[in-house]
Amino acid sequence: MTFPNPQDVREATAARQGSGPAISPAASPVVVEARKLSLVYPTADKPVTALSEVDLTIARGDFVSLIGPSGCGKTTLLRVIADLERPTSGHIAIEGMTPEQARLKRLYGYVFQAPALYPWRTVERNVMLPLEIMGLPKAERRQRAREQLERVGLSGFERKFPWQLSGGMQQRVSIARALALQPDLLLMDEPFGALDEITRDHLNLHLTQLWRATGKTCVFVTHSIAEAVFLSTRIVVMSPRPGRILDVIDCDSLPRERTLDIRESPEFAAIAHRVREGLKEGHSYDD
Ligand code: ADP
Ligand code: MG
């Protein structure tokens, strides 16, 4: 049984508060723009520079993966985009707005590493919870929940409890919950990190199809090179101490429509190689 971490719940609640419709697809082609973004955590010991002068532009419809070793600031960057953390210096805009304005307009959905589902609520009622907080009428809540559960392949599981589902299915519920908010931007922090490789392959395939079908802009954190290459239109390679961007790799050489067998292609191997080289560079810096 997975009990939500209280901090995740607070964050998820913060992420869902506010009012106003999601921005229409006709809005700005740039969804995230960060310039010289730095964040220093003041700790009792000594300050930790989690992000150092990060420059990043994410266009509408992009699938951007952030990859790098633990502690390189991936979660921090996602949290800054989501207005869960304030940068120490630099500039960040989400569709031309401050992260706070974007949060209040419910522009993004956030998927945490752990599914953070309430065990006493059915699958459907878990997906409906943020919609309840938004004050949507019950019929609309139910309709949106059903639509999104169908999208993630969980029709027929509405009345189950989270603990009756596998880890992969629970994570799909949590993606459905984020999508039910109809966000422009989907932020995902290692959503498949705790799953076995076969389940992960299956969910990667599902996610790429979902991304193509919905046209959402995605920012996806991962440790897995194969996962990053398979899913992304662009890969951001990061390194720790201080957290910074080492390389941004375009995956234009791969088709937009992807099946698992593209992983055998020379184009896939070439991108994976470049990611690996970038990570190596970051590592030697660390020694
Ligand atoms: P990642 O997600 O890439 O593993 P994080 O963004 O979680 O990295 O962390 C980046 C760095 O900031 C790490 O050195 C981590 O220990 C530190 N850090 C993260 N959150 C806090 C916090 N709330 N207070 C102090 N240090 C933190
Ligand atoms: Mg992290």
Side-chain angles (χ1 to χ4, degrees):
M1 210 185 301
T2 314
F3 283 90
N5 165 333
Q7 184 175 356
D8 284 352
V9 172
R10 271 198 307 281
E11 289 166 358
T13 307
R16 291 172 197 126
Q17 280 168 350
S19 59
I23 292 285
S24 76
S28 147
V30 173
V31 177
V32 178
E33 174 118 71
R35 289 289 163 263
K36 289 194 172 299
L37 195 70
S38 297
L39 190 147
V40 181
Y41 289 111
T43 67
D45 190 10
K46 62 178 170 104
V48 176
T49 305
L51 294 174
S52 174
E53 310 234 314
V54 164
D55 285 323
L56 182 64
T57 303
I58 298 177
R60 183 170 301 282
D62 255 352
F63 194 114
V64 173
S65 286
L66 310 178
I67 189 166
S70 282
C72 71
K74 305 179 295 295
T75 296
T76 301
L77 182 53
L78 220 54
R79 289 172 58 85
V80 169
I81 294 170
D83 192 40
L84 298 170
E85 215 66 74
R86 288 270 152 87
T88 311
S89 61
H91 173 77
I92 177 141
I94 317 296
E95 301 202 351
M97 289 175 263
T98 64
E100 186 184 13
Q101 288 167 328
R103 174 172 59 78
L104 294 175
K105 281 189 176 283
R106 289 194 305 271
L107 232 62
Y108 66 82
Y110 203 115
V111 179
F112 298 94
Q113 186 162 5
L117 304 171
Y118 289 101
W120 58 87
R121 283 188 159 237
T122 61
V123 161
E124 182 179 65
R125 291 191 62 239
N126 265 285
V127 176
M128 284 161 60
L129 179 62
L131 308 178
E132 249 170 78
I133 295 169
M134 271 164 65
L136 287 189
K138 191 164 187 181
E140 189 177 348
R141 294 200 306 254
R142 173 149 292 144
Q143 190 199 336
R144 280 208 204 178
R146 298 229 154 162
E147 274 169 17
Q148 298 310 327
L149 284 168
E150 187 182 349
R151 227 183 230 306
V152 299
L154 286 177
S155 284
F157 291 88
E158 293 87 352
R159 300 292 164 89
K160 298 274 187 211
F161 289 91
W163 42 271
Q164 295 176 299
L165 270 48
S166 69
M169 289 162 101
Q170 290 182 18
Q171 209 42 297
R172 273 145 70 191
V173 175
S174 122
I175 292 171
R177 180 179 55 190
L179 287 173
L181 294 163
Q182 302 178 337
D184 272 11
L185 176 63
L186 197 54
L187 305 173
M188 289 173 276
D189 195 352
E190 300 193 49
F192 309 143
L195 304 174
D196 65 81
E197 202 175 332
I198 296 165
T199 306
R200 186 189 273 226
D201 279 359
H202 176 73
L203 290 181
N204 280 175
L205 190 58
H206 206 98
L207 182 59
T208 191
Q209 289 163 352
L210 193 82
W211 166 71
R212 259 187 301 115
T214 60
K216 301 283 178 208
T217 308
C218 295
V219 187
F220 184 91
V221 171
T222 182
H223 276 119
S224 157
I225 296 175
E227 185 169 70
V229 181
F230 180 71
L231 291 170
S232 310
T233 56
R234 286 199 307 146
I235 302 171
V236 176
V237 182
M238 297 177 70
S239 115
R241 284 178 285 275
R244 68 208 191 287
I245 292 179
L246 290 177
D247 197 7
V248 179
I249 303 166
D250 274 315
C251 304
D252 294 344
S253 55
L254 294 174
R256 201 170 164 85
E257 187 169 342
R258 297 180 189 180
T259 51
L260 290 174
D261 52 17
I262 65 156
R263 296 181 303 181
E264 314 299 327
S265 70
E267 291 81 6
F268 190 97
I271 297 170
H273 176 75
R274 184 162 155 194
V275 176
R276 208 169 288 119
E277 289 299 303
L279 291 171
K280 234 191 263 173
E281 188 190 325
H283 205 260
S284 57
Y285 191 89
D286 223 359
D287 292 337

